[in-house]
Amino acid sequence: MTETRGVWHLLLGNLTYNALPFYSAIAAFAAGLVVVGAISVFVLITWLGKWRYLWTEWFTSVDHKRIGIMYIIIAFIMMSRALIEAVLMRVQQAVAINSPGFLPPDHFGQLFSTHGTIMIFFMAMPFLTGLINYVMPLQIGARDVKFPLLNSISLWLTGGGAGLMMVSLVLGKFSTGGWSGYPPYTGIEFSPGVGPDYWIWAVSLSSIGTTLTGLNFATTIYKGRAPGMTLMRMPLFCWTSLCTSILMIFAMPPLTVATTLLALDRYLGMHFFTNGMGGNMMNYANLFWLFGHPEVYILILPAFGVYSEVIPAFSSKRLYGYTSLVCATMAIAVLSFTVWLHHFFTMGQSANINAAFGIATMTIGVPTGVKVYDWLLTMCRGRVRFTPPMLFSLAFIVSFVIGGMTGIILATPPLDYMVHNTVFLVAHFHNMLIPGLLYGMIAGYQYWFPKAFGFRLNETWGRIAFGCWVVGFYLAFMPLYVLGAEGMPRRSQEVFDTAYRPWLLIAMVGAFILLAGLVSLFIQLRVSIKQRDSNRVFAGDPWDGRGLEWSVSAPPPEYNFAVIPTVTSRDTFAGQKEHGQAYHPPQTYQDIEMPKNSAAGVVIGISGAACAFGLVWHIWWMSILGLILIWGTVIVRSFVRDIYKVIPAAEVARTEARWLNHVANVRAVPRELETTPANKGLAESVA
Amino acid sequence: MSANEVLHAGLNLGATDPKTHAEAGSAIFGFWVFLMTDAVLFALLFANYGVLLSGTAGGPGPAAEFKLSSAFIETLLLLTSSFTFGLASLAMKHGSQPRLLQVWLPTTLLLGAGFLGMELHDFATMLSDGATPSRSGFLSAFFALVSTHGLHVFAGCVWIIVMMVQIAVFGTDARVKINVLRLGLFWHFLDIIWVAIFSVVYLQGLIR
């Protein structure tokens, strides 16, 4: 890298004209797309005059519902980028058989690194955090999370990290060290560029945000439940949220430690993970996977929660084996800390250690198996309707079991030696994460969308999306099992065995179908917004739901519950409907105190991103300024005393009356018509 | 809620202000959870130190670099500061006026600053000996662990100053009380970490 000197260096650090991505036409095009996209969004918002609206209603909002929606928007934007990268890689491998293809190795390396980093930290994590944010407080009968401003700070730190990922597309090259960033390759000696620095700081921002999120959710669930909502009366989604939060609390600090120590190696020449001088690179593998394995369950448990909500709702049955599901969730959460070593069976520890971790790994299959049976038995003799969320849940059950089988293969150390570092592994973890996480997130998105926006999503496009996601997944990843068994190494920019060609071609087609799946989701959204007037469900209960979140209007009022409900049983709202106690107005309404908006989250997130950007390019003044702004904001905020606003009882009464009047005037819908415009959000009593 | 039921030691809200008490419940619980994440962070730095202890790469080792006498004085300073913070908490709990609080918090701050000064002096001595963090894996691990603790103490000192200003401005309102309580937890937590650092890091100097 060329070094500029003098004033420019003081101002811009290592950032020069050379940082622009003219090394490859594709990279330059992608960078152009990001810049043009950013400018056009900016111009569009200015032209529509929406900045003030966005600032007051969304960016500074501390409402858990708005924050949840913003998280999911980040997830969809980042998913679009990472999925396009996946398609590029699949095409490259399909054409680069004994030929260099169209992506140079360096660029290919960046693609698999950003794809993995984004899909985990900036697609999966925001998606599940968004869903939990939206749904969990409603399910436990709370008005918000316990620390609403901290929630906003977490969102903006994650947003800052995502922003840094997008900037890396325009300025400089990203890491080629994969999403796990193993040193010594990512150390300064072998990767002197800015790539690993981008990775380190983007991931650090997100990991700090996630730690705070875990803290917030756990406190909310432990301390914020409505009266009578004992732990064993919580909907299962809350249980999985709780376990995910606990995992976040314990598993994110190891990641922060790993990235920070790697940064110290790179910036200050220390020797934590260097090759020699007393460093120990195996420490990194331990630290990273001490985070990385629980992370897998951070990702999967919320999806398990979604399935445990969707399957009973669309089977019109109580969830089968609630207690066993709770125990299984907790067991998975605990066991997830005992298996991290299976990510590096081949590192050279003794066979006994490998055996212990291999057995521990297989043990996790037991509680997961319990869950699968519980879901199957929930459907048994139920009134099953094949709506898109249900279809995704069914596809999950089948696909996840296949992934679990290959997991048992990988958990056996001798077999792992055979397929380690091949695309067999790639097939396995995509097999776990696409059905085990993404299907769940999409199912949850489709299931709770009417609650959040007040109208149902288009069913036809939901089914088309489902078809693409399932067919695409099988075509894209089943061939990789074969290729892996044949010994094709993962992360190959070029392959040299023509026998791979047919499988790689099938996988490429699969990747395109997956992309079509994402496009279908966007079309579904567009079509649904157009048809929203005929699909409104203001009454709030389009699926004959069982939890408290369905007992309020859709979208819910800012304060969620006019009167905090008193819970007397599991599936509270289902019980109320059964006993004819739903939709009863309370005797009186009272003033409701809600937290005021705050710009602190935005300032901290942007300052954090600026600090990180300064660190990447050695623009020290920017980093220092960013740090000062972060801590300055925290301190200044601690002096603000006027942090609550009051929603007067009269306004609450008006809002509730409008909704209850509507409920009284709409016709209840039987289940067979729930996917038609006849569904106004009031469920016909089953009894 | 009966009047003498103590839900949060150090908070004298009792039956007078049930709403703040309820708020304190989750505020303090959340801070305990935060301390848990911090404890995980330190645990890993300790483990890292343990692994890299032998990685001196021919450079200075524990016996040559650790000055037990100064580590001992630092320990005394920090333990005393925990005691004075305890007195501050008692003053907040029992005193109707914040005056005593404004005596014990600055005392704690001075002791904390004294600790930091001595630690920086130790570091400077080590650096001038050529025992720099980039010299070996062992020294990297040492500096990472001990200065992370030092940074925490520094943050605690800044926090004490902020709280002193807030007490001067707002008196002991509910939020100040909750935050002093949190600060206390933080400060005592750092004390415990230091005891571990003294035992695991500095006492190693006697045997290696």
Side-chain angles (χ1 to χ4, degrees):
Chain A
M1 180 180 307
T2 52
E3 294 250 336
T4 44
R5 283 278 150 238
V7 180
W8 284 116
H9 192 258
L10 212 57
L11 270 180
L12 290 175
N14 291 337
L15 192 59
T16 65
Y17 173 77
N18 294 334
L20 292 171
F22 295 130
Y23 56 93
S24 129
I26 293 173
F29 178 75
L33 211 61
V34 171
V35 174
V36 170
I39 292 175
S40 37
V41 167
F42 186 85
V43 168
L44 188 70
I45 294 173
T46 313
W47 186 61
L48 294 172
K50 290 285 186 192
W51 280 112
R52 177 178 294 275
Y53 164 76
L54 282 177
W55 178 261
T56 53
E57 295 292 318
W58 291 89
F59 296 165
T60 58
S61 174
V62 293
D63 181 348
H64 71 96
K65 299 184 285 298
R66 300 247 155 129
I67 290 176
I69 291 168
M70 285 188 277
Y71 263 118
I72 293 173
I73 291 173
I74 293 179
F76 270 117
I77 294 173
M78 298 310 278
M79 176 158 43
S80 310
R81 171 178 164 191
L83 190 48
I84 291 170
E85 289 173 340
V87 171
L88 281 175
M89 286 189 287
R90 283 276 136 257
V91 176
Q92 162 73 13
Q93 284 194 333
V95 300
I97 298 168
N98 289 317
S99 91
F102 60 98
L103 288 172
D106 188 39
H107 194 189
F108 189 80
Q110 289 185 54
L111 285 179
F112 65 66
S113 304
T114 48
H115 170 78
T117 308
I118 290 176
M119 283 301 195
I120 299 288
F121 294 105
F122 300 107
M123 188 287 285
M125 296 297 277
F127 214 141
L128 69 92
T129 310
L131 271 192
I132 296 176
N133 240 317
Y134 198 96
V135 176
M136 180 269 288
L138 283 166
Q139 285 193 331
I140 61 171
R143 291 202 169 122
D144 206 327
V145 293
K146 273 294 167 191
F147 305 110
L149 178 62
L150 195 67
N151 204 11
S152 163
I153 293 172
S154 300
L155 166 75
W156 285 95
L157 284 174
T158 306
L164 200 65
M165 292 300 294
M166 295 315 274
V167 169
S168 78
L169 210 49
V170 182
L171 297 172
K173 294 180 179 174
F174 197 77
S175 170
T176 52
W179 84 280
S180 50
Y182 272 17
Y185 177 73
T186 48
I188 198 76
E189 195 183 341
F190 301 105
S191 296
V194 294
D197 300 331
Y198 266 125
W199 179 80
I200 287 170
W201 300 120
V203 166
S204 298
L205 283 177
S206 129
S207 73
I208 294 168
T210 305
T211 310
L212 299 176
T213 298
L215 183 167
N216 208 343
F217 288 164
T219 310
T220 305
I221 294 176
Y222 278 122
K223 296 285 179 180
R225 282 170 283 129
M229 176 70 84
T230 56
L231 285 173
M232 289 308 274
R233 283 179 186 163
M234 290 199 303
L236 211 88
F237 184 73
C238 293
W239 267 106
T240 59
S241 304
L242 176 62
C243 290
T244 282
S245 314
I246 295 173
L247 291 182
M248 285 174 176
I249 291 162
F250 285 98
M252 297 319 282
L255 178 65
T256 313
V257 171
T259 54
T260 310
L261 297 187
L262 182 61
L264 289 173
D265 269 7
R266 290 180 57 85
Y267 283 78
L268 298 177
M270 294 198 191
H271 295 286
F272 292 108
F273 312 126
T274 53
N275 201 351
M277 294 298 281
N280 187 336
M281 61 194 86
M282 289 186 279
N283 246 357
Y284 182 91
N286 277 296
L287 284 173
F288 184 85
W289 291 110
L290 208 51
F291 143 77
H293 199 85
E295 167 73 8
V296 174
Y297 295 97
I298 292 176
L299 299 177
I300 285 180
L301 287 180
F304 284 180
V306 172
Y307 300 132
S308 306
E309 300 292 322
V310 165
I311 293 175
F314 291 111
S315 305
S316 292
K317 261 185 74 185
R318 199 157 55 85
L319 183 63
Y320 182 89
Y322 175 91
T323 312
S324 65
L325 276 166
V326 170
C327 295
T329 306
M330 266 298 174
I332 290 175
V334 172
L335 286 174
S336 74
F337 282 101
T338 64
V339 301
W340 79 92
L341 195 129
H342 70 215
H343 295 270
F344 43 91
F345 276 145
T346 58
M347 200 166 78
Q349 57 277 5
S350 80
N352 289 341
I353 294 181
N354 279 356
F357 278 87
I359 292 165
T361 304
M362 293 182 204
T363 315
I364 292 197
V366 177
T368 315
V370 169
K371 290 187 162 219
V372 169
Y373 284 111
D374 280 337
W375 290 318
L376 291 177
L377 288 168
T378 303
M379 283 183 280
C380 188
R381 297 192 185 174
R383 205 169 156 194
V384 178
R385 287 100 66 197
F386 295 104
T387 55
M390 191 63 175
L391 289 172
F392 276 105
S393 306
L394 293 173
F396 150 78
I397 292 180
V398 177
S399 318
F400 199 74
V401 170
I402 298 173
M405 308 270 204
T406 62
I408 296 292
I409 295 176
L410 284 165
T412 314
L415 287 172
D416 180 73
Y417 265 79
M418 296 293 117
V419 288
H420 182 82
N421 218 27
T422 67
V423 287
F424 190 90
L425 172 72
V426 177
H428 166 70
F429 69 70
H430 283 89
N431 195 340
M432 300 319 267
L433 288 179
I434 292 180
L437 165 98
L438 194 61
Y439 287 4
M441 293 299 109
I442 299 175
Y445 157 76
Q446 311 244 349
Y447 179 60
W448 281 301
F449 185 94
K451 174 53 60 181
F453 293 97
F455 56 94
R456 285 182 304 105
L457 283 169
N458 183 284
E459 297 282 326
T460 313
W461 278 103
R463 280 159 203 275
I464 294 172
F466 162 75
C468 292
W469 280 108
V470 173
V471 173
F473 159 72
Y474 276 93
L475 288 182
F477 292 103
M478 292 302 137
L480 297 198
Y481 279 126
V482 181
L483 288 168
E486 287 177 356
M488 179 179 155
R490 67 192 290 206
R491 297 177 174 169
S492 304
Q493 176 258 347
E494 186 178 346
V495 291
F496 302 98
D497 191 339
T498 47
Y500 296 161
R501 193 188 306 271
W503 299 111
L504 285 171
L505 283 171
I506 297 173
M508 180 186 77
V509 172
F512 276 108
I513 297 177
L514 285 175
L515 186 62
L518 181 62
V519 173
S520 318
L521 284 181
F522 290 139
I523 297 175
Q524 180 196 35
L525 186 60
R526 174 96 188 94
V527 170
S528 310
I529 292 175
K530 270 192 170 168
Q531 302 170 339
R532 63 186 180 279
D533 284 331
S534 51
N535 291 324
R536 292 222 188 263
V537 288
F538 180 54
D541 182 26
W543 313 126
D544 195 9
R546 313 182 66 81
L548 277 175
E549 79 268 35
W550 303 108
S551 70
V552 293
S553 65
E558 186 188 356
Y559 48 79
N560 292 355
F561 299 96
V563 174
I564 296 294
T566 303
V567 177
T568 51
S569 66
R570 225 173 264 165
D571 290 342
T572 318
F573 186 51
Q576 286 174 352
K577 283 187 285 189
E578 223 168 278
H579 298 108
Q581 293 159 346
Y583 309 111
H584 285 183
Q587 308 280 331
T588 55
Y589 290 103
Q590 286 179 338
D591 290 353
I592 295 176
E593 197 177 55
M594 294 298 289
K596 268 187 178 171
N597 283 11
S598 167
V602 186
V603 175
I604 288 175
I606 292 176
S607 309
C611 177
F613 184 77
L615 283 167
V616 169
W617 290 102
H618 296 205
I619 311 173
W620 305 124
W621 63 267
M622 193 187 272
S623 305
I624 294 166
L625 185 70
L627 267 185
I628 292 175
L629 277 174
I630 292 173
W631 290 109
T633 310
V634 171
I635 291 173
V636 169
R637 166 75 192 183
S638 73
F639 279 86
V640 179
R641 281 296 181 275
D642 178 26
I643 53 173
Y644 293 109
K645 63 181 175 191
V646 171
I647 303 174
E651 192 185 323
V652 176
R654 261 198 313 278
T655 312
E656 294 296 308
R658 190 168 80 89
W659 171 58
L660 288 170
N661 278 339
H662 180 84
V663 170
N665 290 323
V666 293
R667 186 192 294 269
V669 67
R671 285 307 94 203
E672 51 268 23
L673 296 179
E674 70 183 343
T675 57
T676 66
N679 188 349
K680 297 294 177 201
L682 186 65
E684 196 177 74
S685 148
V686 192
Chain B
M1 194 181 303
S2 71
N4 41 11
E5 184 184 359
V6 179
L7 289 178
H8 299 285
L11 269 189
N12 193 22
L13 298 169
T16 54
D17 191 356
K19 187 170 173 302
T20 314
H21 226 127
E23 195 185 316
S26 51
I28 300 299
F29 181 84
F31 197 76
W32 275 111
V33 176
F34 164 75
L35 287 183
M36 197 123 74
T37 67
D38 229 20
V40 173
L41 192 138
F42 275 111
L44 293 170
L45 288 175
F46 274 111
N48 186 53
Y49 178 79
V51 172
L52 294 185
L53 192 53
S54 55
T56 50
E65 289 308 321
F66 296 161
K67 308 280 179 289
L68 213 53
S69 54
S70 103
F72 181 68
I73 298 173
E74 283 161 34
T75 310
L76 285 186
L77 282 174
L78 214 55
L79 289 182
T80 316
S81 80
S82 241
F83 178 67
T84 55
F85 203 109
L87 292 176
S89 301
L90 285 179
M92 184 175 79
K93 185 177 174 186
H94 294 296
S96 52
Q97 291 176 21
R99 209 175 334 125
L100 266 182
L101 203 54
Q102 292 289 39
V103 171
W104 292 120
L105 282 183
T107 316
T108 310
L109 175 66
L110 278 181
L111 289 165
F115 168 84
L116 280 179
M118 283 202 64
E119 184 163 72
L120 284 176
H121 181 259
D122 282 358
F123 284 177
T125 320
M126 284 181 75
L127 294 181
S128 64
D129 283 359
T132 61
S134 55
R135 176 62 190 83
S136 68
F138 157 68
L139 285 166
S140 302
F142 167 81
F143 278 103
L145 172 58
V146 180
S147 43
T148 301
H149 176 266
L151 272 177
H152 276 73
V153 174
F154 175 72
C157 288
V158 174
W159 195 356
I160 291 181
I161 296 172
V162 171
M163 288 325 297
M164 280 160 51
V165 176
Q166 292 204 350
I167 292 166
V169 176
F170 302 114
T172 44
D173 70 359
R175 271 186 73 194
V176 165
K177 279 188 167 184
I178 290 173
N179 276 329
V180 170
L181 200 57
R182 281 171 167 158
L183 175 54
L185 291 176
F186 186 68
W187 198 262
H188 300 311
F189 168 75
L190 293 182
D191 217 17
I192 295 169
I193 298 291
W194 179 260
V195 171
I197 289 181
F198 184 77
S199 322
V200 174
V201 176
Y202 284 99
L203 286 183
Q204 293 273 351
L206 293 176
I207 53 168
R208 276 175 195 264

